Amino acid sequence: MDLNRIPQLKYTTKNNFFLLAGPCAIESEEMALRIAEKVITITDRLEIPYVFKGSFKKANRSRVDSFTGIGDEKALRILRKVSETFKVPTVTDIHEISDADMAAEYVDILQIPAFLIRQTDLVVAAAKTGKVVNLKKGQFMSPESMQHAVKKVTDSKNEQVMVTDRGTMFGYQDMIVDFRGIPTMKQYAPVVLDVTHSLQQPNQSSGVTGGRPDMIETIARAGIVTGVDGLFLETHFDPANAKSDGANMLHLDHLEKLLTNLVKIRKTVNELK
């Protein structure tokens, strides 16, 4: 699959992986700019094409009293400010058909959440904006079934589509990554591995999703070796107090070492081709 068909990602000539990273949700302008600046400092040095990630609202929550956002327009304006300040593309997820046109005014990539990937009208609405569409593989779907989600985008006259694996349900409260799915889905579109969501432990009795951040590097390394085109991860300077998904986020202080190691692995894999 030709990655150059997604010009917003500005691929380097180093044959490196690209990175979608940022907080789970936009909590404030200060936090978004702080995280973006830190990540960009690292990715520029390592020549990793970077996309800032942040949800303008969180619709898929375990409890009705969970944080959902600071206001749609306010959060989207912050995403635009990150893009304009640091000259990087941005990605956010949408949950309703009406979100597509609204979010497309502010960001470069529209992401379809895993729980909503079979919602045809939502996928088509995202595709028709002309933006890049990132399709999260449903936790309940096989890698092979994602070809149909990709076709919904391309049949809508939009070739700018990629697929993100975020693990498959393993029992009621755990996720597992089937790395056989990466080469399978690469037949349909560029493939990203969502490292942090793949380590979620959902459906906890407390109503707050758990996670295994200690396994982030293990999953990320395996993804690079398997040949993913990009990595997706959520990071925060204070995961314990993040308003969403703090249990499975990578602490921002650990990002540089992780990415440095992954670039070395990617270089070795490239040399073995």
Side-chain angles (χ1 to χ4, degrees):
M1 190 61 62
D2 182 12
L3 295 175
N4 292 320
R5 75 184 190 183
I6 308 179
Q8 288 91 332
L9 298 183
K10 300 177 182 175
Y11 293 95
T12 68
T13 59
K14 301 296 184 181
N15 199 21
N16 210 351
F17 60 89
F18 61 92
L19 178 69
L20 286 72
C24 178
I26 299 298
E27 300 172 11
S28 70
E29 180 177 306
E30 185 276 333
M31 72 85 74
L33 292 172
R34 178 177 172 184
I35 292 173
E37 183 174 28
K38 176 68 173 180
V39 178
I40 289 166
T41 299
I42 298 168
T43 54
D44 279 355
R45 181 179 66 80
L46 296 174
E47 298 183 294
I48 300 172
Y50 174 55
V51 180
F52 178 82
K53 180 269 167 188
S55 297
F56 75 93
K57 70 177 176 183
K58 298 298 297 180
N60 300 333
R61 305 316 314 271
S62 298
R63 302 190 323 209
V64 73
D65 61 346
S66 297
F67 174 80
T68 58
I70 59 175
D72 295 355
E73 294 281 351
K74 183 177 181 180
L76 287 167
R77 285 196 296 269
I78 290 171
L79 283 163
R80 175 187 283 168
K81 183 162 185 178
V82 169
S83 181
E84 293 174 345
T85 300
F86 298 107
K87 304 299 185 289
V88 295
T90 54
V91 56
T92 198
D93 36 356
I94 61 173
H95 303 85
E96 301 177 26
I97 295 170
S98 59
D99 289 345
D101 285 336
M102 176 178 65
E105 293 292 320
Y106 296 90
V107 302
D108 302 284
I109 303 172
L110 299 180
Q111 181 168 283
I112 307 299
F115 283 125
L116 301 177
I117 192 60
R118 288 183 56 87
Q119 298 298 105
T120 299
D121 288 349
L122 180 63
V123 173
V124 171
K128 287 185 175 179
T129 66
K131 296 290 184 175
V132 178
V133 180
N134 184 23
L135 303 170
K136 285 284 193 80
K137 185 184 80 66
Q139 301 95 318
F140 43 84
M141 291 174 66
S142 69
E144 291 80 5
S145 63
M146 285 303 293
Q147 64 184 298
H148 304 299
V150 170
K151 196 169 187 300
K152 290 176 184 178
V153 178
T154 57
D155 282 353
S156 301
K157 305 297 189 293
N158 187 343
E159 294 293 321
Q160 298 187 114
V161 57
M162 54 187 176
V163 174
T164 294
D165 195 343
R166 50 95 73 240
T168 301
M169 287 301 296
F170 186 71
Y172 289 111
Q173 295 176 323
D174 211 352
M175 310 289 295
I176 189 167
V177 178
D178 181 355
F179 288 97
R180 298 173 299 177
I182 291 172
T184 296
M185 292 188 291
K186 285 186 70 168
Q187 299 175 70
Y188 319 135
V191 174
V192 178
L193 176 60
D194 182 343
V195 179
T196 47
H197 285 104
S198 295
L199 292 167
Q200 279 187 333
Q201 294 177 318
N203 305 321
Q204 300 294 311
S205 59
S206 65
V208 178
T209 298
R212 290 289 308 273
D214 57 302
M215 297 295 291
I216 286 174
E217 184 153 358
T218 299
I219 298 296
R221 283 175 176 238
I224 295 297
V225 171
T226 314
V228 294
D229 300 298
L231 292 177
F232 177 111
L233 60 86
E234 291 182 338
T235 184
H236 198 289
F237 48 79
D238 187 10
N241 292 300
K243 295 184 181 296
S244 178
D245 278 4
N248 56 270
M249 274 199 224
L250 178 72
H251 196 292
L252 196 56
D253 289 347
H254 300 154
L255 182 64
E256 184 167 13
K257 181 181 178 182
L258 172 66
L259 293 180
T260 299
N261 290 340
L262 296 178
V263 167
K264 291 177 182 177
I265 294 171
R266 183 56 174 259
K267 183 178 179 181
T268 300
V269 170
N270 291 341
E271 292 171 351
L272 293 173
K273 289 181 179 179

